[in-house]
Amino acid sequence: MKAAAAGYIRANDLAHAISLLEQSRGEARILAGGQSLIASLNLRLAGETALIDINGVAELSGIELVGEQLRIGALTRHRELAASDLVARHVPAIAQAAPLIAHAAIRNRGTIGGSLAYADPAAELPACMLALDAVIVLRGPAGERRVRAGDFFIDLFTTDLAEDEMIVAVEVPVAVAGERQTTMELARRSGDYALAGIVLVDRPSGVRAAFFGVGPTPILATGAMAAIDRGASPDDAAELLEGDLQPLDDVHAPAAVRLHLARVLLRRALAATRS
Ligand SMILES: Cc1cc2nc3c(=O)[nH]c(=O)nc-3n(C[C@H](O)[C@H](O)[C@H](O)COP(=O)(O)OP(=O)(O)OC[C@H]3O[C@@H](n4cnc5c(N)ncnc54)[C@H](O)[C@@H]3O)c2cc1C
């Protein structure tokens, strides 16, 4: 089925994109990689809308080391995350996550900004941002706003993004000395969305474990994290996930299966970062 788009305009630069968004008064959507949006329009899951194409906005591209942060432009493609030396060196959790996203054709077009704005609870990159305690940089007519990932993902497919704002970049703290990171997931087939996944950031100051596919948003397993920091065994920490996660029953897996997979992943991820 053909997409039900009510109009299309290509933004020349960031100021143009924001002014188009403001003028549309909530009637237009940003078009980035189109890998979720166009599919939703084709399937009539999203209502007819005008599209503001940001693919020509140069300010939204690029990966740059700025002090102790890696600044990743919103238009950075999943393929670029997977290929970046800066990402591999400074935020290996993202380098490991990118190849797990869908298939090569989708990774060629899909963007980090699109993935975070779409906020699929089974997506890898929102969980990376949460585990890494990244900041999402938003821009709207009133200027720039920075939101920590922990406050950005509000509910199923719902974020703190206002209708006249867009994501311009993310700022991710780089790994400190002695820090180990790992991203793992369990899916039925390579390329499928995960049934459950984990991003584990094992810092000398404490562990951060964010899970995906086991609740309406990416979730920090705060009970298990505190237990690990107190020296609990991986088995004992895994037991506490029952209180941390809220998996949902759906056609792909019952909640109990997702919780079991999350426990398996926590034990595996701890073994990987502490081996
Ligand atoms: C078959 C298939 C399998 C997939 N599997 C996975 C998977 O395993 N893991 C995974 O994470 N994803 C998966 N995806 C989704 C894919 O990663 C998408 O690319 C991603 O979710 C959206 O990125 P996009 O750049 O394509 O965004 P678009 O589709 O262009 O936009 C998605 C939404 O985000 C908004 N948006 C886009 N950019 C911005 C911005 N800068 N600021 C504000 N709003 C913005 C749009 O308006 C729209 O509402 C899959 C997609 C398909 C079709």
Side-chain angles (χ1 to χ4, degrees):
M1 203 183 282
K2 289 274 193 291
Y8 168 93
I9 186 157
R10 195 170 163 90
N12 304 319
D13 56 28
L14 189 50
H16 187 210
I18 288 167
S19 109
L20 290 169
L21 207 49
E22 186 180 18
Q23 285 162 36
S24 80
R25 297 173 190 277
E27 298 295 319
R29 306 274 287 274
I30 298 283
L31 174 65
Q35 298 305 298
S36 299
L37 180 55
I38 297 296
S40 310
L41 291 170
N42 286 346
L43 294 168
R44 304 293 189 268
L45 297 174
E48 197 167 306
T49 184
L51 301 178
I52 300 171
D53 185 344
I54 58 169
N55 282 275
V57 177
E59 298 107 299
L60 297 175
S61 294
I63 302 174
E64 197 187 354
L65 190 60
V66 184
E68 301 299 300
Q69 312 277 325
L70 202 63
R71 185 180 164 95
I72 304 175
L75 211 49
T76 305
R77 315 277 171 192
H78 307 323
R79 161 181 54 80
E80 295 174 282
L81 292 175
S84 162
D85 288 340
L86 281 175
V87 171
R89 194 171 336 131
H90 296 294
V91 278
I94 298 179
Q96 293 168 38
L100 300 175
I101 302 172
H103 306 281
I106 291 162
R107 294 194 292 272
N108 284 341
R109 296 298 304 164
T111 67
I112 187 167
S115 175
L116 302 182
Y118 191 58
D120 190 307
E124 290 81 359
L125 294 177
C128 286
M129 298 305 124
L130 184 60
L132 292 161
D133 201 13
V135 167
I136 322 284
V137 184
L138 310 177
R139 184 86 61 90
E144 203 162 271
R145 190 163 75 89
R146 287 175 155 68
V147 184
R148 287 175 73 169
D151 297 321
F152 184 71
F153 300 105
I154 293 173
D155 204 348
L156 202 61
F157 299 105
T158 308
T159 69
D160 184 35
L161 201 52
E163 68 180 23
D164 60 355
E165 283 180 321
M166 56 183 288
I167 300 173
V168 293
V170 293
E171 294 172 347
V172 192
V174 299
V176 298
E179 179 169 326
R180 303 278 303 272
Q181 302 179 1
T182 191
T183 302
M184 294 178 170
E185 68 181 40
L186 290 163
R188 283 186 197 280
R189 295 171 303 189
S190 163
D192 279 5
Y193 273 105
L195 293 174
I198 185 172
V199 183
L200 187 77
V201 176
D202 205 350
R203 289 187 175 142
S205 59
V207 80
R208 285 176 70 86
F211 284 85
F212 51 102
V214 288
T217 62
I219 299 174
L220 266 188
T222 50
M225 283 159 43
I228 295 163
D229 288 344
R230 285 195 305 270
S233 71
D235 283 344
D236 287 347
E239 284 308 308
L240 297 175
L241 290 180
E242 187 157 13
D244 289 334
L245 309 179
Q246 299 106 44
L248 308 168
D249 283 319
D250 64 24
V251 290
H252 303 295
V257 168
R258 290 183 193 264
L259 181 61
H260 170 73
L261 297 180
R263 287 184 167 135
V264 170
L265 285 167
L266 179 63
R267 290 193 288 263
R268 285 185 188 173
L270 279 170
T273 61
R274 296 187 169 183
S275 59

